Amino acid sequence: MAKPNYSFEKRQREIAKKKKKDEKAARKRDSRPDAPDDAPHEASQAPAPRAE
C-alpha cells in the first residue's frame, strides 16, 4: 500500500484556506461604500495633543 503524502494534503488545505480568506476580503472590500483601500480611517486620525 502507498504511503500517504501528508505534506501535500497540508499544502492543499493551506491553499484552500488562503483562497477562502482572499475571497472573503474581496467581498468585504466590494461591499464597503466608496472607501479606497489605502485611505486612512477617520478614527485613526486623532488630533495631536496640544502643548501648553
Side-chain angles (χ1 to χ4, degrees), residues 1-2 4 6 10-14 21 25-26 30-32 34 36 43 45 49-51:
M1 191 165 150
Y6 294 113
K10 182 178 179 183
R11 180 68 180 140
Q12 293 303 310
R13 284 194 306 270
E14 290 173 351
K21 184 179 177 183
D30 292 342
S31 67
R32 273 197 264 154
D34 299 330
Q45 291 188 356
R50 294 183 353 175

Side-chain angles (χ1 to χ4, degrees), residues 1-51:
M1 191 165 150
K3 182 179 171 186
N5 188 350
Y6 294 113
S7 298
F8 177 77
E9 293 173 8
K10 182 178 179 183
R11 180 68 180 140
Q12 293 303 310
R13 284 194 306 270
E14 290 173 351
I15 291 170
K17 277 188 196 178
K18 183 170 177 19
K19 182 178 177 186
K20 186 175 180 181
K21 184 179 177 183
D22 290 344
E23 289 173 353
K24 184 177 179 180
R27 282 196 312 271
K28 195 172 184 180
R29 184 176 55 240
D30 292 342
S31 67
R32 273 197 264 154
D34 299 330
D37 293 338
D38 55 342
H41 298 296
E42 293 176 17
S44 65
Q45 291 188 356
R50 294 183 353 175

